[in-house]
C-alpha cells in the first residue's frame, strides 16, 4: 500500500467522499481516481470511515432548546468584553508597578550594601595606616577652639608629608604611601599626643566617630 | 453521506449537512409540527438565527440546534463518548448560547461549537480521571470507549474501522474525523484543536497512513 504522489489530488479525496466539491473539481478527481489505484484505495478507506461513523446517537432537539438560557439572561457584549479587557489591563499595570517597585528597591538595597561594604573595607584596609591630620579636616569643620571636634595638635605633628596631606583630603583615612620612616615616627608621636589630649565635647556628632575608629585602629 | 448533493466548497460547513441532519434527527411528528417554520430557517444564516434568538425568537434557537446537533453528536460519539453524547451536545449548546456574545463572526458557528464541545469532552475526561484516580484510564478505557458505537456499526468492516481509528492518537483521531466525516478545512480544524494549519495537515496524513496500514497490512 503506497501513497499517490499527487498530493493535491489526495487532499481533495475527503471532500470528494463527502460530495462537497463543485462539479468541475468533482469530475477531475473522479477521472484521477479511475486511473490511480492508490487514490482509489484511499478513497474507499475514507468512505468506509464515513460509513462507520455516520450514525450518531439520536438527539432530542426540543430538550436541548428547553435547556438553553433565555436571551435576556445572556450578558450583553459590552458588559462582557470590557471588564475582561480592563481586568487584563489592570493586571498588566499592577504587574508593571510591582516590577518597578521591586526593581527600585533592589537597586537601592544593592547600592546601599555596596556603599557600606566600600566604606567598611576602606576603613579596615586603611585603618593601620590611617590618620587624620588637621589638614585633612575641611576648614569648615576645623573651626576654632573648644567648639571643634579636633583636639589641640602639637607642633611636631605638622611635619606630615605634603603628599600624605593631599591623600588625606581625597579619602577617609588618607594614606602613608609617601612617608618615610622618620615621618611615620613623627606621625605616631603626634597620634600619641592626640590620645593624651582631652577630648572636647562634640557639637558635630557626624564627625566624632571617625576619631575613635582611627585611634582604635592604630592601637 | 454519499447521498448528499455536490456543493461548491466554501459555502460554509454549517450548510453542508443541513438537509440530511434535519431529516435524520427530527421525527416525523416534529417535522410536521415545525413544517411551516422550517422553510424560512433553511435560508437563514447562523448569524441571522442568532440575531433572531436574541430578539426572543425561540424557533431560531431550535433551527440552530437542528442544524448543528447531528454533527456535534457524531463528533462526540466518534471521539468515544459513551452514553453521554446527548448530554455533551446539550452542554455544548448551553455553553455556546450563554456566551454567544463572544462568538466572532469571522469563523463558522459550527467550528466554534466543535471547539466548545472538544473542550467539554476533554474536561469531562480529566474529571473522570481525577475521580477514579486512575492514571492509565486511557488504556483501560480503550477497550470500552467505543462501546456506544459498537451497536450502531452494522458491518464487520466498519466495526474494524472504528477499532482502527480508536488506536490513533487523540489528536490524530480528532483531526482525521473532522476532516473526513465533517469535511472541515485544515484551517477550521486547527482552530478547533488549537494547532496550526500545517500541523493539522501532517496529523491528517499520518492518520490516513496509519489507518491504511492497520486495515490492510
Amino acid at each position: 500500500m503506497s501513497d499517490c504522489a499527487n498530493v493535491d489530488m489526495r487532499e481533495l479525496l475527503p471532500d470528494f467522499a463527502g460530495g462537497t466539491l463543485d462539479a468541475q473539481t468533482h469530475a477531475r478527481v473522479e477521472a484521477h481516481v479511475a486511473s490511480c489505484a492508490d487514490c482509489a484505495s484511499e478513497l474507499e478507506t475514507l468512505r468506509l470511515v464515513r460509513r462507520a461513523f455516520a450514525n450518531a446517537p439520536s438527539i432530542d432537539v426540543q430538550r436541548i432548546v428547553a435547556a438553553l438560557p433565555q436571551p435576556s439572561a445572556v450578558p450583553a457584549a459590552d458588559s462582557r468584553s470590557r471588564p475582561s479587557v480592563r481586568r487584563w489591563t489592570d493586571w498588566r499595570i499592577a504587574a508593571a508597578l510591582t516590577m518597578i517597585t521591586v526593581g527600585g528597591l533592589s537597586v537601592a538595597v544593592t547600592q546601599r550594601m555596596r556603599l557600606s561594604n566600600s566604606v567598611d573595607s576602606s576603613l579596615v584596609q586603611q585603618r593601620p595606616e590611617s590618620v587624620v591630620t588637621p589638614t585633612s579636616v575641611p576648614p569648615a569643620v576645623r573651626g576654632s577652639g573648644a567648639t571643634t571636634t579636633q583636639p589641640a595638635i602639637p607642633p611636631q605633628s605638622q611635619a606630615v608629608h605634603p603628599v600624605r596631606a593631599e591623600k588625606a583630603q581625597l579619602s577617609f583615612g588618607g594614606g602613608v604611601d609617601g612617608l618615610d620612616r622618620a615621618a611615620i615616627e613623627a606621625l605616631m608621636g603626634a597620634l600619641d599626643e592626640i590620645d593624651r589630649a582631652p577630648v572636647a565635647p562634640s557639637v558635630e556628632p557626624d564627625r566624632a566617630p571617625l576619631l575613635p575608629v582611627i585611634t582604635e585602629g592604630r592601637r | 453521506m454519499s447521498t448528499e448533493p455536490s456543493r461548491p466548497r466554501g459555502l460554509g460547513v454549517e450548510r453542508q449537512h443541513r438537509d440530511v441532519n434535519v431529516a435524520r434527527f427530527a421525527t416525523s411528528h416534529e417535522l410536521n409540527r415545525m413544517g411551516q417554520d422550517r422553510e424560512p430557517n433553511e435560508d437563514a444564516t447562523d448569524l441571522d438565527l442568532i440575531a433572531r434568538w436574541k430578539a426572543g425568537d425561540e424557533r431560531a434557537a431550535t433551527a440552530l440546534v437542528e442544524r448543528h446537533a447531528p454533527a456535534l453528536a457524531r463528533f462526540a460519539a466518534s471521539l468515544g463518548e459513551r452514553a453521554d453524547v446527548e448530554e455533551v451536545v446539550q452542554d455544548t449548546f448551553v455553553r455556546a448560547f450563554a456566551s454567544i456574545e463572544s462568538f466572532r463572526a469571522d469563523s463558522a458557528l459550527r467550528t466554534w461549537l466543535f471547539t466548545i464541545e472538544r473542550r467539554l469532552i476533554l474536561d469531562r475526561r480529566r474529571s473522570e480521571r481525577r475521580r477514579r484516580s486512575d492514571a492509565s484510564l486511557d488504556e483501560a478505557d480503550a477497550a470500552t470507549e467505543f462501546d456506544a458505537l459498537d451497536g450502531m456499526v452494522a458491518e464487520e468492516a466498519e466495526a474494524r474501522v472504528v477499532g482502527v481509528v480508536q488506536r490513533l492518537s487523540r489528536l490524530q483521531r480528532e483531526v482525521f474525523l473532522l476532516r473526513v466525516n465533517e469535511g472541515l478545512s485544515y484551517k477550521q480544524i486547527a482552530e478547533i484543536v488549537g494547532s496550526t494549519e500545517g500541523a493539522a495537515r501532517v496529523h491528517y496524513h499520518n492518520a490516513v497512513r496509519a489507518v491504511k496500514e492497520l486495515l490492510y497490512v
Side-chain angles (χ1 to χ4, degrees):
Chain A
M1 172 122 336
S2 58
D3 296 332
C4 174
N6 191 338
V7 178
D8 291 339
M9 204 54 73
R10 288 186 65 206
E11 291 286 359
L12 293 172
L13 292 179
D15 301 310
F16 182 81
T20 55
L21 295 174
D22 60 83
Q24 187 179 0
T25 309
H26 184 91
R28 194 158 55 91
V29 175
E30 194 170 30
H32 174 80
V33 169
S35 62
C36 175
D38 291 333
C39 281
S41 173
E42 185 166 319
L43 178 63
E44 183 54 37
T45 302
L46 298 182
R47 283 176 169 158
L48 194 60
V49 170
R50 287 179 65 87
R51 282 199 302 273
F53 291 96
N55 296 321
S58 61
I59 298 294
D60 186 346
V61 172
Q62 291 307 317
R63 182 180 160 193
I64 293 176
V65 172
L68 295 179
Q70 294 300 312
S72 57
V74 176
D78 289 348
S79 63
R80 289 176 59 84
S81 59
R82 284 180 184 168
S84 172
V85 172
R86 192 162 57 239
R87 275 197 299 273
W88 171 240
T89 306
D90 291 348
W91 183 87
R92 285 192 296 187
I93 291 173
L97 287 175
T98 303
M99 292 295 293
I100 291 170
T101 305
V102 171
L105 284 172
S106 301
V107 170
V109 168
T110 304
Q111 286 184 340
R112 189 165 185 164
M113 289 177 64
R114 188 178 300 162
L115 182 62
S116 174
N117 290 339
S118 173
V119 171
D120 288 348
S121 62
S122 173
L123 287 174
V124 169
Q125 288 173 0
Q126 297 186 7
R127 190 173 292 163
E129 303 172 344
S130 296
V131 65
V132 173
T133 67
T135 55
S136 70
V137 179
V141 176
R142 269 183 261 152
S144 60
T147 60
T148 68
T149 59
Q150 303 303 318
I153 304 298
Q156 59 265 34
S157 68
Q158 302 295 326
V160 176
H161 197 279
V163 175
R164 160 76 189 84
E166 286 176 12
K167 287 189 175 180
Q169 287 182 339
L170 294 175
S171 66
F172 253 128
V176 291
D177 294 346
L179 297 182
D180 56 18
R181 176 178 288 276
I184 291 175
E185 287 179 359
L187 189 60
M188 298 297 285
L191 290 172
D192 288 340
E193 289 294 327
I194 293 173
D195 287 345
R196 286 192 292 271
V199 178
S202 174
V203 294
E204 294 185 18
D206 290 344
R207 294 286 179 179
L210 287 176
L211 193 56
V213 168
I214 294 169
T215 52
E216 184 183 57
R218 189 180 61 82
R219 286 170 189 164
Chain B
M1 265 334 132
S2 57
T3 58
E4 291 179 47
S6 296
R7 292 189 182 92
R9 299 184 74 184
L11 279 181
V13 290
E14 68 276 5
R15 300 186 62 181
Q16 292 175 4
H17 304 281
R18 188 187 312 160
D19 300 334
V20 173
N21 292 342
V22 171
R24 181 185 301 146
F25 285 88
T27 64
S28 57
H29 170 71
E30 289 168 337
L31 287 175
N32 290 335
R33 185 159 49 85
M34 297 182 299
Q36 61 183 12
D37 300 329
R38 208 171 74 243
E39 283 305 317
N41 291 337
E42 283 292 306
D43 296 327
T45 66
D46 286 337
L47 290 178
D48 292 337
L49 292 173
I50 290 171
R52 282 168 50 188
W53 173 74
K54 286 199 282 189
D57 184 358
E58 190 175 307
R59 292 172 301 177
T62 303
L64 284 169
V65 173
E66 285 174 346
R67 184 176 290 180
H68 299 293
L72 294 175
R74 189 167 50 241
F75 184 54
S78 66
L79 290 185
E81 279 301 301
R82 286 169 274 186
D84 302 329
V85 170
E86 182 166 347
E87 189 179 325
V88 169
V89 174
Q90 177 174 310
D91 289 349
T92 301
F93 276 108
V94 169
R95 188 173 290 190
F97 275 74
S99 57
I100 199 74
E101 296 294 344
S102 64
F103 169 61
R104 294 174 301 168
D106 55 353
S107 67
L109 178 64
R110 181 166 294 186
T111 303
W112 189 57
L113 290 171
F114 274 134
T115 307
I116 294 173
E117 184 181 45
R118 178 178 175 271
R119 287 178 189 157
L120 268 174
I121 292 172
L122 292 178
D123 288 345
R124 289 165 65 95
R125 296 230 172 115
R126 286 193 197 100
S127 300
E128 190 178 355
R129 192 176 295 129
R130 278 196 297 269
R131 192 169 61 246
R132 293 167 60 173
S133 300
D134 185 357
S136 59
L137 181 65
D138 285 342
E139 286 78 4
D141 279 2
T144 58
E145 206 171 43
F146 286 78
D147 286 351
L149 285 168
D150 289 346
M152 293 182 289
V153 177
E155 296 183 16
E156 184 183 344
E158 293 170 5
R160 197 155 162 246
V161 166
V162 172
V164 165
V165 170
Q166 120 188 20
R167 291 171 65 179
L168 299 175
S169 71
R170 180 179 56 80
L171 199 53
Q172 277 185 354
R173 193 191 314 160
E174 290 172 349
V175 171
F176 179 71
L177 293 173
L178 286 171
R179 181 77 186 103
V180 177
N181 285 356
E182 309 305 329
L184 300 189
S185 67
Y186 292 123
K187 184 181 178 185
Q188 290 172 313
I189 294 170
E191 193 177 327
I192 292 168
V193 302
S195 181
T196 63
E197 205 172 328
R201 188 187 305 272
V202 170
H203 283 306
Y204 168 75
H205 284 288
N206 287 339
V208 169
R209 188 173 297 115
V211 168
K212 286 196 292 188
E213 286 176 359
L214 291 169
L215 275 178
Y216 304 117
V217 176

